[in-house]
Amino acid sequence: MTTPPTAEIPAQYDPAATEREWYERWLAADAFTADAARSTRSGGDRTPFTIVMPPPNVTAVLHVGHGLNNTVQDVIARWRRMCGDETLWLPGTDHAGIATQNIVEKLLASEGKTRFDLGRDAFIARTMEFVADTGGAILEQLRSIGASCDWSRTAYTLSPELSIAVREAFVQLHERGLIYRGHRVIHWCPRCLTSLSDEEAEHDEEAGSLYHIRYAIVGEPGKWLTVATTRPETMLGDVALAVNPDDERYASLIGRTVILPIAGIEIPIIADAYADPAFGTGVVKITPAHDPNDFEVGKRHALPMPVIMTSEGNVDNVTDAEGRVPPDLRGVERFEARDRIVAMLKESGALAKVEAHQHAVRHCYRCGTVVEPRLSDQWFVRMRELAAPALEGVRTGRIRILPERWEAVYVNWLEGIRDWNISRQLWWGHRIPVWYCVNHGCVTVSRTDVTSCPNCGGPVRQDEDVLDTWFSSWLWPFSTLGWPNTDAADLRAFYPTDDLVTAPEILFFWVARMVMAGYAFMGDAPFHTIYLHGTVRDTNHVKMSKSLGNGIDPLDVVRLYGADALRYTVISGMGMGADLVLDPGDLDRSFAPGRNFATKLWNIGRFLLTKVGDEPVASVSDIQDSRLARADRWILDRLNVAIAECDAALGPARPTGTTWDRSELHAGLRLNEYAETARRFVWNELADWYLESVKSRVATEGDDRDVARAVLVHVFDAALRLLHPVIPFITEALWQRLPERAAKDSALLCTAAWPLASPMRAGAPEFERVRECVDALRAMRAEYGVTPGKVVHAVVVATPTPELYITEAGLIGQLARATLTVSGRVDGPAVHTLLADGSDLVISLGGLVDLEQERRKLEVELNQLEGQIAALRGRLANESFTSRAPAHIVDAERAKEREWSARAEALRKKVVTLGAGT
């Protein structure tokens, strides 16, 4: 379709129609499709720039966090595309093992079934059907906010292509001795029935209880050792009490035994440095199967490790428990068992006391269930070797982290990293590529499916577990580009990528692991910049969440105000790493910045384009300086400044060399500063000043009209280019309506060139004197309450630049509702203002205000203020006040006295001025 001429520009901007139309036209033009052959790494002439989208869960729907994250990515991608980079923003989704399986299991539960009723193959088939029907909806929703992704390259972590990459990574790490099967205490979710990594078992502070339990010393009636615990339900798995070998209080008891309450069995007292003499009684109970620290003590002392809790979280004799759990506790849910055990301890006299206790409790990151430390066989990745280059990459400047405060968090986590538990007791996900010989138990790790034992030819069974979801997504920056095929065109053209944009919450889950994977499998960091944006919160500073009822649906915002309003609001309101605060109860107020700016920009464009008309315009570069007015030179200079400030706020896009220079390390990606610079230019400088100054010029036929039209179109074209990454729809719609011009370098604004500064024009600063004079006249009108319909008479005297004021008097008068003359005198009361160039601006008050009435009003105000000043000075002269009041209170009162005194002096001068004319 063709764009309407300026005569048909609608009075009101219609976001819904505009956004739908232009997104379809962008897609039809393949505007977002990257070409590997054009990358300089493939012999082309364009520098590649790549962002991989943090893949949302395949079952997710768009929420405000996605809106923020993907708007940030889109701003960066559109900016680099306009700068001429071969830009790839690669989208995709994550199969989300636990999350997706939980959803499907809930659907089955509504039908009265469990996954075990279906069996593994049927459950996987059901899940695949569900994902096919509902999965990927979020990617469609991202189009509604303008995401300029290369949809032809959409990836999925459970696709056949990425499944090959996952197996390759597992096998390579196993061959390097970095993947192993371990018998260790892990975090277990009784709800999801799977193990979790350390990062997936999140700490939450909770109010609990500390139970002090007595263990009777065998052979010493009436004597016991007291131990404190927050989890008495695990005590039936105790196999020892430990004391510090240097703790003299218990030296004689080492090697003795105590009675385990309720179970009634003897357990030894051992010496181990794990026991801290300064903490509590200095005695700790050792439960190796249900505490990771106790597990290490148990290994050191070769202690038994009875498991007394089922996978569902019920207390029972599970493994090597020796009948520790009595019949009336077997099969009892763990927290109910806690209450029963405490009651039994109290009844037997073994409960010394119970104290309130605030402590950190781990919960499943997916379902929120309290996790249970549990001894289990799992697959692990040795992480220290992988972490070393990831640490070095940040320390040497190969990778930078913005904001820089997160660098210390990243380093601290990697320095203390523990092995990664990668096996999950789920059915949905990448099944672990390990097969066991049914006859002999030998293990085969393979890139391809194994149908028989390679040693004996006998039958095999595959490991039942699947891999942690993050094991596939840590490969995302290169698996999506074709790895493990090292000759893949996209891998050559676009790896390493450039910026990784995400939230700090997954710095450990995903970001740090991607860095490790990049070095482990590609020999280089996967990106040079990690940009961690803030979190969207409500007005109580609580993180927005659908489950908490304080969320905002971005699609509602798009429907009400348009995608550009959403985008501008989140970008302009988000400082580097700062949280974005919105009010879910007042969308009008929350998104007013974006809505108001879109409306203003449309009105500016409609007015400007109507004045300019449809005829072709000349190129500004072809216009000689002598034909330019002062206002023309000034706005061209301000455009240069705006371009430079936008460039500084956004860039540099990449390090100058292989590592970031110290001066560049924390520069750029200040998106709110970029957005404000572009807004200020188009609103405060182009619209408020230049557009107002050229109204009469564009209305009068002649050479000067042609110049004004050329400059107007040039600067508005550049302004739209500057604004396009943050508000792409409205800028494209307005840009398409600009008249024909030589500078139009593209059929679409989204693929047009980013603006460059033009050569400096002589005389640009002279218009600043015009603006200062207008501002002074406007300020006087406001100060003395001059009504808008009255014209002010002003005279410039003692000026070093009379020619400037003579030639610009008409414009100054037009902008300030004034008449301006150079030299002469003003009779009667007048206000004097000294301008920056030394000129004295004298403004007559005669006939503008009722001088007597205004003087009396000011005298009343002055008398009241002088009374307040006198009282304030009396208080400050009172030594009892100044010596006893807090220093900041006294300082504030002294500052107030200075402020009031200055105000009183200004009032006195105004009274004198007004009195001169009465």
Side-chain angles (χ1 to χ4, degrees), residues 482-685:
W483 187 87
N485 177 10
T486 54
D487 290 327
D490 279 0
L491 193 64
R492 287 199 313 270
F494 298 113
Y495 190 91
T497 71
D498 291 270
D499 293 353
L500 189 282
V501 179
T502 190
E505 296 97 281
I506 54 175
L507 178 60
F508 309 137
F509 281 121
W510 188 48
V511 179
R513 287 173 178 161
M514 280 192 292
V515 176
M516 289 185 271
Y519 281 109
F521 300 111
M522 295 295 296
D524 196 2
F527 28 72
H528 56 67
T529 296
I530 299 168
Y531 179 90
L532 302 173
H533 56 69
T535 300
V536 186
R537 300 184 182 276
D538 64 19
T539 49
N540 294 316
H541 294 274
V542 175
K543 180 181 177 180
M544 284 195 177
S545 165
K546 183 178 179 181
S547 62
L548 294 177
N550 68 340
I552 291 175
D553 185 345
L555 298 181
D556 285 343
V557 179
V558 171
R559 177 175 51 81
L560 291 169
Y561 315 115
D564 287 334
L566 168 73
R567 294 167 63 101
Y568 183 83
T569 296
V570 299
I571 293 298
S572 64
M574 184 194 69
M576 173 71 74
D579 291 339
L580 175 66
V581 177
L582 299 171
D583 185 353
D586 191 346
L587 296 186
D588 271 355
R589 187 171 61 131
S590 291
F591 293 94
R595 183 194 64 221
N596 293 345
F597 182 48
T599 300
K600 178 68 174 181
L601 183 62
W602 185 259
N603 291 339
I604 292 170
R606 184 170 182 270
F607 180 81
L608 181 151
L609 293 169
T610 301
K611 296 295 182 183
V612 165
D614 297 320
E615 317 95 85
V617 296
S619 172
V620 166
S621 61
D622 295 334
I623 299 175
Q624 296 178 344
D625 279 5
S626 60
R627 298 172 61 197
L628 295 173
R630 289 186 178 91
D632 300 333
R633 299 187 184 109
W634 174 80
I635 196 63
L636 291 172
D637 178 63
R638 297 313 302 164
L639 174 59
N640 282 346
V641 170
I643 292 170
E645 290 182 357
C646 286
D647 286 344
L650 288 167
R654 53 183 62 84
T656 305
T658 56
T659 60
W660 287 98
D661 182 82
R662 186 170 296 276
S663 63
E664 304 171 330
L665 198 56
H666 303 119
L669 295 183
R670 300 188 305 278
L671 303 186
N672 63 318
E673 295 179 21
Y674 143 66
E676 170 54 20
T677 295
R679 184 213 63 83
R680 186 186 66 234
F681 173 73
V682 75
W683 191 324
N684 301 121
E685 296 173 340

Side-chain angles (χ1 to χ4, degrees), residues 143-222:
R143 299 177 186 227
S144 69
I145 65 170
S148 63
C149 303
D150 184 343
W151 301 109
S152 69
R153 287 178 165 89
T154 301
Y156 176 45
T157 55
L158 205 55
S159 68
E161 296 81 7
L162 269 65
S163 296
I164 292 172
V166 169
R167 280 202 179 181
E168 179 67 27
F170 186 97
V171 174
Q172 280 195 30
L173 292 176
H174 187 267
E175 290 172 346
R176 292 168 57 182
L178 295 178
I179 282 184
Y180 66 95
R181 181 82 163 162
H183 188 64
R184 288 174 41 181
V185 172
I186 47 84
H187 305 292
W188 180 267
C189 177
R191 158 63 185 80
C192 299
L193 295 179
T194 184
S195 63
L196 302 170
S197 67
D198 291 341
E199 294 72 34
E200 291 169 325
E202 299 174 335
H203 282 109
D204 283 329
E205 285 292 322
E206 291 187 3
S209 298
L210 194 60
Y211 303 89
H212 297 258
I213 303 172
R214 298 185 179 114
Y215 292 69
I217 302 172
V218 174
E220 296 195 29

